[in-house]
Amino acid sequence: MNWYNTFNAIEAGLWALVALVIPLRVTCLTWQQRYGALLGSLAFAAFGITDLLEIGKEGFIPLWLWGFKIACGCGILAARYTWLGWNKFRWRDREVLFGLFCLISVCVLIVLQRYKEALIMPATSVRRSH
């Protein structure tokens, strides 16, 4: 297994650990907090699954997997605000700004990945005649 696949396997394990620790360590006083903790736990578990699905892709992540990863990130952010209460949602909160930064970064990565693929594909299909 190469370093890329090993890293994704380790990352998947760490997200699974986070998903297990949340319900065991978080004290929930209200149904809203229980729902937020459950949502967060499920979102982190799903995020770990995306890393397992990434194994063998060698850095080329299909659009559906990018979408799955983005949905997991949105779920994690939603869990945070479900826990706190949506009335406390503020666009300038560091969690929201960090989430937006990550979303923009992912979009840039998708574009770069597709652009790189478009540049490499024609070069590999060119035949040389000697």
Side-chain angles (χ1 to χ4, degrees):
M1 190 181 285
N2 64 23
W3 71 269
Y4 184 83
N5 293 336
T6 302
F7 177 79
N8 277 295
I10 291 169
E11 192 177 8
L14 291 174
W15 292 131
L17 182 63
V18 169
L20 289 172
V21 167
I22 289 172
L24 296 175
R25 299 287 298 165
V26 173
T27 304
C28 301
L29 303 175
T30 66
W31 70 268
Q32 178 178 323
Q33 289 179 341
R34 280 191 292 276
Y35 183 70
L38 176 64
L39 179 60
S41 184
L42 292 174
F44 277 111
F47 202 69
I49 291 169
T50 67
D51 286 323
L52 291 176
L53 293 172
E54 197 175 334
I55 292 174
K57 303 282 189 254
E58 305 307 325
F60 178 78
I61 303 172
L63 287 176
W64 66 267
L65 188 50
W66 278 118
F68 191 12
K69 286 180 171 288
I70 291 169
C72 291
C74 291
I76 292 166
L77 191 61
R80 166 85 173 144
Y81 283 99
T82 299
W83 172 269
L84 290 174
W86 282 93
N87 59 331
K88 294 184 180 178
F89 179 87
R90 304 287 180 268
W91 283 103
R92 292 186 177 186
D93 286 352
R94 67 176 179 230
E95 293 89 358
V96 175
L97 294 175
F98 181 71
L100 289 173
F101 171 77
C102 289
L103 181 61
I104 291 167
S105 298
V106 165
C107 291
V108 168
L109 285 172
I110 292 170
V111 169
L112 289 175
Q113 182 183 45
R114 299 297 170 183
Y115 181 70
K116 177 184 170 191
E117 177 186 306
L119 288 177
I120 291 173
M121 292 289 258
T124 58
S125 63
V126 173
R127 294 184 185 182
R128 291 185 179 187
S129 58
H130 291 279

